[in-house]
Amino acid sequence: MSSYSFPLDEALTYLKDLISIPSVSGEEQAIGIYLEDKLRGFGADQVSRIGSEDRFSVCAHITGSTPGPHILMTGHIDTVPPGDGWTCDPFTPLLRDGRIYGRGSNDMKGGISIILTVFHWACQHREQLSGRLSVVLVPDEEKFSTGVQQVLQSGFSADFALSAEPSYGKLIIGAVGKVLIQGDFIGKRAHGSEPQNGINAISEAAVLTAHLNQLPLPACSAAEPQPYVPLRIQGGETTYSTDIPDHCTILINKHTVPGESWDYIYSDLNQLVQDLPLKCSVSFQKKSPFYPPYALSEDHPELLRLKSLYEQVLQHPVQMIWDDGVSDNNCWVGTGGIPTVCLGPSGEGMHGPNEWVSVDEIQQCGQTYLEYILHSKS
């Protein structure tokens, strides 16, 4: 272990600033400007934007004094809306009992504060850094992951990445994927008093929805079978009508495991249509967002080095696990081919009221990040 200690007070200052800047998904411009100014002020070799003027990813890079791998530190800058039920102001940071409360504190401004602090340290201690260190902070993770997709489309790549999503005490090295499926049902219009002369698209969609649980669900060694989850069914006229509805659309969420491709899912759904059988015309299409499942090799050398350092900081073994949800990491790995490990401070209240992050976990995760970037000196 190095003789350097993670500067916790600096990280908490950044965290309080970040909580004070509302950044609900779709409204990330102000926090993007804050982050850009900070990274530029640290003395980064390069700071740039990728995206539109009002919604952009912030990218910063620094090159160390000796050769080494290109390491990325990343996270998302958007949050969900504050919602109801708070007993404190969601945009006024509150430090109490070793916790910092505020919207986004846990998901994931606590992690962003670590990234800022470690990058600042790297800019001040270039002689201790080998290789290239990049920071990429993206919008829109909570909805469509357009931020990370734009960065990857720009040609960005790295050898290994640390994502500071909340995952304290474990290393997330894989995750399920996600396919959003739209099903369109076309029936036959008829008068409501003569339903036998029509084909009710809503009834047909309801039949298929009720039988989704009969579809086969593949599994893998690291993840449970992932069910089909109907999210919405919508059909008929928008105003009152006695006509039999001749159109209906359903939206289905399907988390996936490796090998469970869109072609596999598409084939199963069409087979179900034939087996029922349905009277109306049915078609399926893949909608945005789409996330491929991913998995890192457990013997990846950078992963093993990170694990060893994290265990030294925590002073106990660390488990490597899969996540049962999707995130930008699915895109970094599955689309960009960048091995990405999720490691960040956690707390409670993610997407709910009274969200908080642990100060101790910021310290320990921050120390691990700091140790990790000291490639040739660790």
Side-chain angles (χ1 to χ4, degrees):
M1 301 291 286
S2 74
S3 60
Y4 294 97
S5 295
F6 177 75
L8 178 61
D9 288 344
E10 180 181 351
L12 296 185
T13 297
Y14 298 143
L15 175 54
K16 292 173 183 177
D17 288 347
L18 293 169
I19 292 171
S20 299
I21 305 172
S23 57
V24 173
S25 198
E27 303 172 2
E28 301 99 333
Q29 183 184 42
I31 199 168
I33 293 171
Y34 169 89
L35 293 166
E36 183 182 36
D37 290 344
K38 284 295 180 184
L39 292 166
R40 200 178 301 278
F42 293 162
D45 296 338
Q46 179 185 359
V47 180
S48 61
R49 297 181 180 184
I50 296 177
S52 63
E53 181 178 351
D54 60 347
R55 201 175 194 200
F56 52 86
S57 297
V58 182
C59 309
H61 314 279
I62 183 176
T63 300
S65 60
T66 57
H70 182 185
I71 302 301
L72 166 67
M73 298 188 297
T74 186
H76 66 87
I77 60 178
D78 61 323
T79 73
V80 296
D84 300 323
W86 287 77
T87 58
C88 57
D89 184 344
F91 298 119
T92 300
L94 172 64
L95 173 60
R96 184 173 63 200
D97 300 327
R99 304 171 176 179
I100 292 189
Y101 290 82
R103 172 53 82 222
S105 56
N106 183 18
D107 184 23
M108 57 170 293
K109 293 181 176 182
I112 300 295
S113 73
I114 289 175
I115 290 174
L116 289 176
T117 305
V118 171
F119 192 77
H120 187 200
W121 184 95
C123 290
Q124 294 176 313
H125 300 85
R126 292 171 184 257
E127 75 284 355
Q128 296 293 316
L129 181 68
S130 62
R132 182 172 172 85
L133 181 64
S134 294
V135 168
V136 178
L137 305 173
V138 301
D140 194 45
E141 191 270 352
E142 298 291 358
K143 291 190 176 180
F144 297 100
S145 288
T146 55
V148 64
Q149 292 172 18
Q150 289 172 341
V151 171
L152 290 171
Q153 289 166 3
S154 76
F156 178 86
S157 187
D159 297 315
F160 195 74
L162 298 177
S163 168
E165 286 269 14
S167 55
Y168 176 79
K170 52 191 175 293
L171 295 175
I172 296 176
I173 63 169
V176 300
K178 171 179 174 174
V179 175
L180 190 62
I181 307 157
Q182 179 174 305
D184 294 296
F185 297 73
I186 305 299
K188 180 181 177 181
R189 187 182 295 269
H191 194 279
S193 64
E194 300 176 327
Q196 70 278 6
N197 294 330
I199 300 175
N200 193 316
I202 293 178
S203 296
E204 295 279 282
V207 170
L208 182 132
T209 301
H211 287 81
L212 287 174
N213 59 1
Q214 295 182 3
L215 289 171
L217 299 177
C220 70
S221 59
E224 298 290 331
Q226 302 295 310
Y228 290 81
V229 180
L231 301 179
R232 184 175 68 213
I233 183 166
Q234 190 171 25
E237 301 299 325
T238 56
T239 58
Y240 172 72
S241 170
T242 59
D243 287 349
I244 296 297
D246 63 352
H247 61 277
C248 184
T249 298
I250 62 174
L251 198 62
I252 304 167
N253 187 79
K254 177 69 174 76
H255 282 177
T256 59
V257 299
E260 198 173 14
S261 66
W262 164 244
D263 288 342
Y264 179 97
I265 291 169
Y266 182 79
S267 176
D268 278 356
L269 286 169
N270 280 291
Q271 186 62 53
L272 180 61
V273 170
Q274 298 300 317
D275 291 344
L276 285 173
L278 297 179
K279 299 176 183 178
C280 66
S281 170
V282 185
S283 61
F284 299 101
Q285 56 181 311
K286 181 175 66 175
K287 305 293 287 186
S288 180
F290 167 76
Y291 298 89
Y294 75 93
L296 271 62
S297 170
E298 293 191 11
D299 60 0
H300 190 292
E302 290 298 317
L303 170 61
L304 293 177
R305 194 169 71 82
L306 176 66
K307 182 175 184 290
S308 176
L309 291 169
Y310 196 24
E311 289 176 338
Q312 290 179 58
V313 170
L314 296 184
Q315 298 185 341
H316 62 71
V318 169
Q319 187 179 11
M320 296 187 289
I321 68 166
W322 268 49
D323 198 354
D324 58 3
V326 297
S327 69
D328 282 342
N329 299 333
N330 292 74
C331 301
W332 286 122
V333 184
T335 304
I338 302 173
T340 303
V341 175
C342 187
L343 167 60
S346 59
E348 292 183 2
M350 184 187 301
H351 292 210
N354 298 330
E355 180 181 0
W356 60 267
V357 67
S358 165
V359 172
D360 286 344
E361 293 185 16
I362 292 175
Q363 171 72 61
Q364 292 170 332
C365 291
Q367 186 65 39
T368 304
Y369 271 60
L370 186 60
E371 298 290 344
Y372 177 74
I373 68 167
L374 299 175
H375 289 287
S376 61
K377 307 298 180 182
S378 59

Short mmCIF file of all heavy atoms in Angstrom, two decimals, residues 121-178:
data_model
loop_
_atom_site.label_atom_id
_atom_site.label_comp_id
_atom_site.label_asym_id
_atom_site.label_seq_id
_atom_site.Cartn_x
_atom_site.Cartn_y
_atom_site.Cartn_z
N TRP A 121 -5.89 14.51 -7.64
CA TRP A 121 -4.64 14.01 -7.06
C TRP A 121 -3.67 13.60 -8.17
O TRP A 121 -2.48 13.90 -8.10
CB TRP A 121 -4.95 12.82 -6.16
CG TRP A 121 -3.75 12.28 -5.43
CD1 TRP A 121 -3.35 12.60 -4.16
CD2 TRP A 121 -2.79 11.34 -5.93
NE1 TRP A 121 -2.20 11.91 -3.84
CE2 TRP A 121 -1.83 11.14 -4.91
CE3 TRP A 121 -2.64 10.67 -7.13
CZ2 TRP A 121 -0.75 10.28 -5.07
CZ3 TRP A 121 -1.56 9.81 -7.29
CH2 TRP A 121 -0.62 9.63 -6.27
N ALA A 122 -4.17 12.93 -9.19
CA ALA A 122 -3.31 12.49 -10.29
C ALA A 122 -2.69 13.68 -11.02
O ALA A 122 -1.51 13.64 -11.42
CB ALA A 122 -4.11 11.63 -11.26
N CYS A 123 -3.47 14.73 -11.20
CA CYS A 123 -2.93 15.92 -11.86
C CYS A 123 -1.82 16.57 -11.04
O CYS A 123 -0.88 17.16 -11.59
CB CYS A 123 -4.05 16.94 -12.11
SG CYS A 123 -5.25 16.44 -13.37
N GLN A 124 -1.91 16.45 -9.72
CA GLN A 124 -0.90 17.04 -8.83
C GLN A 124 0.31 16.15 -8.65
O GLN A 124 1.36 16.61 -8.20
CB GLN A 124 -1.53 17.34 -7.47
CG GLN A 124 -2.60 18.41 -7.48
CD GLN A 124 -3.24 18.58 -6.12
OE1 GLN A 124 -3.61 17.59 -5.47
NE2 GLN A 124 -3.38 19.82 -5.68
N HIS A 125 0.19 14.87 -8.97
CA HIS A 125 1.26 13.89 -8.74
C HIS A 125 1.52 13.08 -10.01
O HIS A 125 1.50 11.85 -9.99
CB HIS A 125 0.91 12.95 -7.58
CG HIS A 125 0.69 13.64 -6.27
ND1 HIS A 125 -0.53 14.19 -5.91
CD2 HIS A 125 1.53 13.88 -5.23
CE1 HIS A 125 -0.42 14.72 -4.71
NE2 HIS A 125 0.82 14.56 -4.27
N ARG A 126 1.77 13.76 -11.08
CA ARG A 126 1.98 13.08 -12.36
C ARG A 126 3.13 12.09 -12.30
O ARG A 126 3.13 11.08 -13.01
CB ARG A 126 2.25 14.10 -13.47
CG ARG A 126 1.05 14.97 -13.82
CD ARG A 126 1.46 16.10 -14.75
NE ARG A 126 0.33 16.98 -15.01
CZ ARG A 126 -0.37 16.98 -16.13
NH1 ARG A 126 -0.07 16.12 -17.09
NH2 ARG A 126 -1.38 17.82 -16.30
N GLU A 127 4.11 12.39 -11.47
CA GLU A 127 5.26 11.50 -11.38
C GLU A 127 4.89 10.14 -10.78
O GLU A 127 5.62 9.16 -10.94
CB GLU A 127 6.37 12.15 -10.55
CG GLU A 127 6.14 12.18 -9.05
CD GLU A 127 5.14 13.24 -8.57
OE1 GLU A 127 4.68 14.04 -9.44
OE2 GLU A 127 4.83 13.29 -7.37
N GLN A 128 3.74 10.06 -10.12
CA GLN A 128 3.28 8.81 -9.53
C GLN A 128 2.35 8.02 -10.45
O GLN A 128 1.91 6.92 -10.10
CB GLN A 128 2.55 9.10 -8.21
CG GLN A 128 3.42 9.72 -7.14
CD GLN A 128 4.47 8.76 -6.64
OE1 GLN A 128 4.18 7.59 -6.40
NE2 GLN A 128 5.69 9.24 -6.50
N LEU A 129 2.04 8.61 -11.61
CA LEU A 129 1.07 8.02 -12.51
C LEU A 129 1.75 7.44 -13.73
O LEU A 129 2.61 8.07 -14.34
CB LEU A 129 0.06 9.10 -12.95
CG LEU A 129 -1.06 8.65 -13.90
CD1 LEU A 129 -2.01 7.72 -13.18
CD2 LEU A 129 -1.80 9.87 -14.45
N SER A 130 1.38 6.22 -14.08
CA SER A 130 1.85 5.62 -15.32
C SER A 130 0.68 5.43 -16.27
O SER A 130 -0.47 5.26 -15.84
CB SER A 130 2.53 4.28 -15.04
OG SER A 130 1.62 3.36 -14.48
N GLY A 131 0.95 5.48 -17.56
CA GLY A 131 -0.09 5.30 -18.55
C GLY A 131 -0.94 6.55 -18.71
O GLY A 131 -0.50 7.67 -18.47
N ARG A 132 -2.17 6.35 -19.09
CA ARG A 132 -3.12 7.44 -19.36
C ARG A 132 -4.35 7.24 -18.48
O ARG A 132 -4.85 6.12 -18.35
CB ARG A 132 -3.50 7.41 -20.84
CG ARG A 132 -4.46 8.52 -21.29
CD ARG A 132 -4.58 8.45 -22.81
NE ARG A 132 -5.60 9.33 -23.35
CZ ARG A 132 -5.44 10.62 -23.64
NH1 ARG A 132 -4.25 11.18 -23.41
NH2 ARG A 132 -6.42 11.33 -24.17
N LEU A 133 -4.81 8.32 -17.87
CA LEU A 133 -5.99 8.28 -17.02
C LEU A 133 -7.05 9.19 -17.61
O LEU A 133 -6.79 10.37 -17.89
CB LEU A 133 -5.64 8.73 -15.60
CG LEU A 133 -6.79 8.71 -14.58
CD1 LEU A 133 -7.28 7.28 -14.34
CD2 LEU A 133 -6.34 9.35 -13.26
N SER A 134 -8.23 8.65 -17.82
CA SER A 134 -9.35 9.42 -18.38
C SER A 134 -10.52 9.43 -17.41
O SER A 134 -10.75 8.48 -16.67
CB SER A 134 -9.81 8.82 -19.71
OG SER A 134 -8.83 8.95 -20.71
N VAL A 135 -11.25 10.53 -17.45
CA VAL A 135 -12.53 10.66 -16.75
C VAL A 135 -13.59 10.94 -17.80
O VAL A 135 -13.43 11.84 -18.63
CB VAL A 135 -12.50 11.80 -15.72
CG1 VAL A 135 -13.90 12.11 -15.21
CG2 VAL A 135 -11.58 11.46 -14.56
N VAL A 136 -14.67 10.16 -17.79
CA VAL A 136 -15.80 10.40 -18.67
C VAL A 136 -17.07 10.36 -17.82
O VAL A 136 -17.40 9.31 -17.24
CB VAL A 136 -15.89 9.37 -19.82
CG1 VAL A 136 -17.13 9.64 -20.66
CG2 VAL A 136 -14.63 9.41 -20.68
N LEU A 137 -17.75 11.49 -17.73
CA LEU A 137 -18.96 11.62 -16.92
C LEU A 137 -20.12 11.92 -17.85
O LEU A 137 -20.09 12.91 -18.59
CB LEU A 137 -18.78 12.73 -15.88
CG LEU A 137 -17.54 12.55 -14.97
CD1 LEU A 137 -17.34 13.77 -14.08
CD2 LEU A 137 -17.67 11.29 -14.14
N VAL A 138 -21.14 11.05 -17.83
CA VAL A 138 -22.14 11.05 -18.89
C VAL A 138 -23.54 11.35 -18.36
O VAL A 138 -23.88 11.04 -17.22
CB VAL A 138 -22.15 9.70 -19.62
CG1 VAL A 138 -20.79 9.40 -20.23
CG2 VAL A 138 -22.56 8.57 -18.68
N PRO A 139 -24.40 11.95 -19.22
CA PRO A 139 -25.81 12.13 -18.88
C PRO A 139 -26.64 10.93 -19.31
O PRO A 139 -26.15 10.01 -19.97
CB PRO A 139 -26.19 13.37 -19.72
CG PRO A 139 -25.36 13.22 -20.97
CD PRO A 139 -24.05 12.59 -20.51
N ASP A 140 -27.89 10.92 -18.90
CA ASP A 140 -28.94 10.06 -19.46
C ASP A 140 -28.82 8.58 -19.11
O ASP A 140 -29.46 7.75 -19.74
CB ASP A 140 -28.98 10.21 -21.00
CG ASP A 140 -30.25 9.61 -21.60
OD1 ASP A 140 -31.34 9.84 -21.04
OD2 ASP A 140 -30.15 8.90 -22.61
N GLU A 141 -28.09 8.22 -18.06
CA GLU A 141 -28.04 6.81 -17.69
C GLU A 141 -29.39 6.33 -17.18
O GLU A 141 -29.76 5.16 -17.38
CB GLU A 141 -26.98 6.58 -16.61
CG GLU A 141 -26.65 5.12 -16.32
CD GLU A 141 -27.52 4.51 -15.22
OE1 GLU A 141 -28.28 5.26 -14.57
OE2 GLU A 141 -27.43 3.29 -15.03
N GLU A 142 -30.14 7.22 -16.53
CA GLU A 142 -31.40 6.82 -15.92
C GLU A 142 -32.50 6.52 -16.94
O GLU A 142 -33.55 5.98 -16.58
CB GLU A 142 -31.89 7.90 -14.95
CG GLU A 142 -30.96 8.18 -13.78
CD GLU A 142 -30.89 7.03 -12.79
OE1 GLU A 142 -31.61 6.02 -12.98
OE2 GLU A 142 -30.14 7.14 -11.82
N LYS A 143 -32.25 6.85 -18.22
CA LYS A 143 -33.28 6.62 -19.23
C LYS A 143 -32.75 5.78 -20.39
O LYS A 143 -33.04 4.60 -20.49
CB LYS A 143 -33.85 7.95 -19.72
CG LYS A 143 -34.68 8.66 -18.66
CD LYS A 143 -35.44 9.85 -19.21
CE LYS A 143 -36.34 10.47 -18.15
NZ LYS A 143 -37.11 11.64 -18.67
N PHE A 144 -31.95 6.39 -21.29
CA PHE A 144 -31.61 5.71 -22.54
C PHE A 144 -30.11 5.50 -22.76
O PHE A 144 -29.71 4.95 -23.78
CB PHE A 144 -32.18 6.49 -23.73
CG PHE A 144 -33.68 6.57 -23.74
CD1 PHE A 144 -34.33 7.70 -23.29
CD2 PHE A 144 -34.44 5.49 -24.17
CE1 PHE A 144 -35.72 7.78 -23.28
CE2 PHE A 144 -35.83 5.55 -24.17
CZ PHE A 144 -36.47 6.70 -23.73
N SER A 145 -29.26 5.96 -21.85
CA SER A 145 -27.80 5.80 -21.99
C SER A 145 -27.27 6.42 -23.28
O SER A 145 -26.31 5.93 -23.86
CB SER A 145 -27.40 4.32 -21.91
OG SER A 145 -27.53 3.84 -20.59
N THR A 146 -27.87 7.53 -23.71
CA THR A 146 -27.36 8.17 -24.92
C THR A 146 -25.99 8.78 -24.70
O THR A 146 -25.19 8.88 -25.64
CB THR A 146 -28.33 9.27 -25.41
OG1 THR A 146 -28.57 10.21 -24.35
CG2 THR A 146 -29.65 8.68 -25.85
N GLY A 147 -25.69 9.19 -23.47
CA GLY A 147 -24.39 9.80 -23.19
C GLY A 147 -23.24 8.85 -23.48
O GLY A 147 -22.31 9.18 -24.24
N VAL A 148 -23.27 7.66 -22.90
CA VAL A 148 -22.19 6.70 -23.11
C VAL A 148 -22.16 6.25 -24.56
O VAL A 148 -21.08 6.03 -25.13
CB VAL A 148 -22.31 5.51 -22.14
CG1 VAL A 148 -23.57 4.71 -22.39
CG2 VAL A 148 -21.10 4.60 -22.25
N GLN A 149 -23.30 6.12 -25.20
CA GLN A 149 -23.33 5.71 -26.59
C GLN A 149 -22.66 6.75 -27.49
O GLN A 149 -21.93 6.40 -28.42
CB GLN A 149 -24.77 5.45 -27.03
CG GLN A 149 -25.40 4.23 -26.36
CD GLN A 149 -26.88 4.09 -26.66
OE1 GLN A 149 -27.39 4.67 -27.60
NE2 GLN A 149 -27.57 3.32 -25.83
N GLN A 150 -22.90 8.03 -27.21
CA GLN A 150 -22.25 9.09 -27.99
C GLN A 150 -20.74 9.06 -27.80
O GLN A 150 -19.99 9.28 -28.76
CB GLN A 150 -22.82 10.45 -27.60
CG GLN A 150 -24.25 10.68 -28.05
CD GLN A 150 -24.84 11.96 -27.48
OE1 GLN A 150 -24.36 12.51 -26.49
NE2 GLN A 150 -25.90 12.45 -28.10
N VAL A 151 -20.30 8.82 -26.57
CA VAL A 151 -18.85 8.75 -26.32
C VAL A 151 -18.23 7.59 -27.09
O VAL A 151 -17.17 7.74 -27.72
CB VAL A 151 -18.59 8.61 -24.81
CG1 VAL A 151 -17.11 8.32 -24.55
CG2 VAL A 151 -19.01 9.88 -24.07
N LEU A 152 -18.87 6.44 -27.07
CA LEU A 152 -18.34 5.29 -27.80
C LEU A 152 -18.37 5.53 -29.30
O LEU A 152 -17.44 5.14 -30.02
CB LEU A 152 -19.13 4.04 -27.44
CG LEU A 152 -18.93 3.52 -26.01
CD1 LEU A 152 -19.92 2.41 -25.70
CD2 LEU A 152 -17.49 3.02 -25.81
N GLN A 153 -19.39 6.18 -29.80
CA GLN A 153 -19.48 6.49 -31.22
C GLN A 153 -18.39 7.46 -31.66
O GLN A 153 -18.02 7.48 -32.84
CB GLN A 153 -20.86 7.04 -31.56
CG GLN A 153 -21.97 6.00 -31.49
CD GLN A 153 -23.37 6.61 -31.50
OE1 GLN A 153 -23.53 7.82 -31.62
NE2 GLN A 153 -24.38 5.77 -31.33
N SER A 154 -17.88 8.25 -30.72
CA SER A 154 -16.79 9.19 -31.05
C SER A 154 -15.46 8.48 -31.23
O SER A 154 -14.48 9.10 -31.64
CB SER A 154 -16.66 10.24 -29.95
OG SER A 154 -16.02 9.70 -28.79
N GLY A 155 -15.41 7.19 -30.90
CA GLY A 155 -14.18 6.42 -31.04
C GLY A 155 -13.41 6.22 -29.76
O GLY A 155 -12.32 5.64 -29.77
N PHE A 156 -13.96 6.65 -28.62
CA PHE A 156 -13.25 6.51 -27.35
C PHE A 156 -13.06 5.04 -27.00
O PHE A 156 -13.95 4.21 -27.19
CB PHE A 156 -14.01 7.20 -26.22
CG PHE A 156 -13.35 7.04 -24.87
CD1 PHE A 156 -12.36 7.92 -24.47
CD2 PHE A 156 -13.70 6.00 -24.02
CE1 PHE A 156 -11.73 7.77 -23.24
CE2 PHE A 156 -13.09 5.84 -22.80
CZ PHE A 156 -12.10 6.73 -22.40
N SER A 157 -11.88 4.73 -26.44
CA SER A 157 -11.61 3.39 -25.95
C SER A 157 -10.63 3.48 -24.79
O SER A 157 -10.00 4.52 -24.57
CB SER A 157 -11.04 2.50 -27.07
OG SER A 157 -10.93 1.17 -26.63
N ALA A 158 -10.52 2.42 -24.02
CA ALA A 158 -9.58 2.35 -22.91
C ALA A 158 -9.26 0.89 -22.64
O ALA A 158 -9.94 -0.01 -23.14
CB ALA A 158 -10.17 3.01 -21.66
N ASP A 159 -8.23 0.64 -21.83
CA ASP A 159 -7.83 -0.73 -21.52
C ASP A 159 -8.62 -1.33 -20.38
O ASP A 159 -8.81 -2.56 -20.32
CB ASP A 159 -6.33 -0.77 -21.18
CG ASP A 159 -5.46 -0.36 -22.34
OD1 ASP A 159 -5.71 -0.82 -23.47
OD2 ASP A 159 -4.53 0.45 -22.13
N PHE A 160 -9.07 -0.49 -19.46
CA PHE A 160 -9.78 -0.98 -18.28
C PHE A 160 -10.53 0.20 -17.68
O PHE A 160 -10.10 1.36 -17.80
CB PHE A 160 -8.80 -1.55 -17.25
CG PHE A 160 -9.43 -2.38 -16.18
CD1 PHE A 160 -9.90 -3.66 -16.44
CD2 PHE A 160 -9.54 -1.90 -14.88
CE1 PHE A 160 -10.48 -4.44 -15.45
CE2 PHE A 160 -10.11 -2.66 -13.87
CZ PHE A 160 -10.58 -3.94 -14.16
N ALA A 161 -11.67 -0.07 -17.04
CA ALA A 161 -12.49 1.02 -16.51
C ALA A 161 -13.00 0.70 -15.12
O ALA A 161 -13.32 -0.44 -14.79
CB ALA A 161 -13.67 1.29 -17.44
N LEU A 162 -13.10 1.76 -14.31
CA LEU A 162 -13.74 1.73 -13.01
C LEU A 162 -14.99 2.57 -13.08
O LEU A 162 -14.93 3.76 -13.39
CB LEU A 162 -12.81 2.30 -11.93
CG LEU A 162 -11.50 1.58 -11.68
CD1 LEU A 162 -10.69 2.34 -10.63
CD2 LEU A 162 -11.74 0.15 -11.22
N SER A 163 -16.13 1.96 -12.81
CA SER A 163 -17.39 2.68 -12.73
C SER A 163 -17.76 2.82 -11.26
O SER A 163 -17.78 1.84 -10.52
CB SER A 163 -18.48 1.91 -13.47
OG SER A 163 -19.76 2.44 -13.19
N ALA A 164 -18.06 4.05 -10.83
CA ALA A 164 -18.28 4.32 -9.41
C ALA A 164 -19.74 4.20 -8.99
O ALA A 164 -20.15 4.82 -8.01
CB ALA A 164 -17.74 5.71 -9.06
N GLU A 165 -20.52 3.40 -9.71
CA GLU A 165 -21.88 3.10 -9.26
C GLU A 165 -21.83 2.46 -7.87
O GLU A 165 -20.89 1.76 -7.53
CB GLU A 165 -22.54 2.11 -10.23
CG GLU A 165 -22.96 2.71 -11.56
CD GLU A 165 -24.39 3.23 -11.54
OE1 GLU A 165 -24.96 3.36 -10.44
OE2 GLU A 165 -24.91 3.52 -12.62
N PRO A 166 -22.87 2.68 -7.04
CA PRO A 166 -22.86 2.12 -5.67
C PRO A 166 -22.79 0.60 -5.69
O PRO A 166 -23.68 -0.06 -6.23
CB PRO A 166 -24.17 2.63 -5.06
CG PRO A 166 -25.02 3.04 -6.22
CD PRO A 166 -24.07 3.49 -7.29
N SER A 167 -21.73 0.07 -5.09
CA SER A 167 -21.53 -1.40 -5.06
C SER A 167 -20.54 -1.77 -3.98
O SER A 167 -19.71 -2.66 -4.17
CB SER A 167 -21.03 -1.90 -6.42
OG SER A 167 -19.85 -1.20 -6.80
N TYR A 168 -20.60 -1.10 -2.86
CA TYR A 168 -19.59 -1.26 -1.81
C TYR A 168 -19.49 -2.70 -1.31
O TYR A 168 -20.48 -3.40 -1.16
CB TYR A 168 -19.94 -0.35 -0.62
CG TYR A 168 -19.02 -0.49 0.56
CD1 TYR A 168 -17.78 0.11 0.57
CD2 TYR A 168 -19.42 -1.24 1.67
CE1 TYR A 168 -16.93 -0.02 1.67
CE2 TYR A 168 -18.58 -1.38 2.76
CZ TYR A 168 -17.34 -0.77 2.76
OH TYR A 168 -16.51 -0.90 3.83
N GLY A 169 -18.24 -3.13 -1.06
CA GLY A 169 -17.98 -4.43 -0.46
C GLY A 169 -17.93 -5.58 -1.43
O GLY A 169 -17.72 -6.72 -1.03
N LYS A 170 -18.12 -5.28 -2.71
CA LYS A 170 -18.08 -6.32 -3.75
C LYS A 170 -17.65 -5.67 -5.05
O LYS A 170 -17.68 -4.45 -5.20
CB LYS A 170 -19.44 -6.98 -3.90
CG LYS A 170 -20.59 -6.00 -4.09
CD LYS A 170 -21.92 -6.67 -3.98
CE LYS A 170 -23.08 -5.69 -4.06
NZ LYS A 170 -23.13 -4.78 -2.89
N LEU A 171 -17.25 -6.50 -5.99
CA LEU A 171 -16.90 -6.03 -7.32
C LEU A 171 -17.90 -6.61 -8.31
O LEU A 171 -18.04 -7.83 -8.42
CB LEU A 171 -15.48 -6.47 -7.69
CG LEU A 171 -14.34 -5.89 -6.84
CD1 LEU A 171 -13.01 -6.52 -7.24
CD2 LEU A 171 -14.28 -4.37 -7.00
N ILE A 172 -18.61 -5.74 -9.01
CA ILE A 172 -19.56 -6.20 -10.02
C ILE A 172 -18.81 -6.37 -11.33
O ILE A 172 -18.31 -5.39 -11.89
CB ILE A 172 -20.73 -5.23 -10.16
CG1 ILE A 172 -21.54 -5.18 -8.85
CG2 ILE A 172 -21.63 -5.64 -11.32
CD1 ILE A 172 -22.66 -4.19 -8.85
N ILE A 173 -18.75 -7.59 -11.83
CA ILE A 173 -17.97 -7.89 -13.02
C ILE A 173 -18.83 -8.39 -14.18
O ILE A 173 -18.31 -8.79 -15.22
CB ILE A 173 -16.86 -8.92 -12.72
CG1 ILE A 173 -17.48 -10.25 -12.27
CG2 ILE A 173 -15.92 -8.39 -11.66
CD1 ILE A 173 -16.47 -11.39 -12.21
N GLY A 174 -20.13 -8.36 -14.01
CA GLY A 174 -21.04 -8.77 -15.08
C GLY A 174 -22.45 -8.36 -14.73
O GLY A 174 -22.75 -8.00 -13.59
N ALA A 175 -23.32 -8.41 -15.73
CA ALA A 175 -24.72 -8.03 -15.48
C ALA A 175 -25.60 -8.59 -16.58
O ALA A 175 -25.14 -8.89 -17.69
CB ALA A 175 -24.85 -6.50 -15.43
N VAL A 176 -26.86 -8.73 -16.24
CA VAL A 176 -27.85 -9.10 -17.24
C VAL A 176 -27.97 -7.98 -18.27
O VAL A 176 -27.55 -6.84 -18.02
CB VAL A 176 -29.22 -9.38 -16.61
CG1 VAL A 176 -29.13 -10.52 -15.60
CG2 VAL A 176 -29.76 -8.11 -15.92
N GLY A 177 -28.53 -8.31 -19.41
CA GLY A 177 -28.84 -7.30 -20.42
C GLY A 177 -30.32 -6.96 -20.40
O GLY A 177 -31.05 -7.37 -19.50
N LYS A 178 -30.73 -6.19 -21.40
CA LYS A 178 -32.13 -5.78 -21.45
C LYS A 178 -32.57 -5.58 -22.90
O LYS A 178 -31.86 -4.97 -23.69
CB LYS A 178 -32.34 -4.47 -20.68
CG LYS A 178 -33.73 -3.86 -20.85
CD LYS A 178 -33.87 -2.58 -20.05
CE LYS A 178 -35.20 -1.89 -20.34
NZ LYS A 178 -35.43 -0.73 -19.47
#
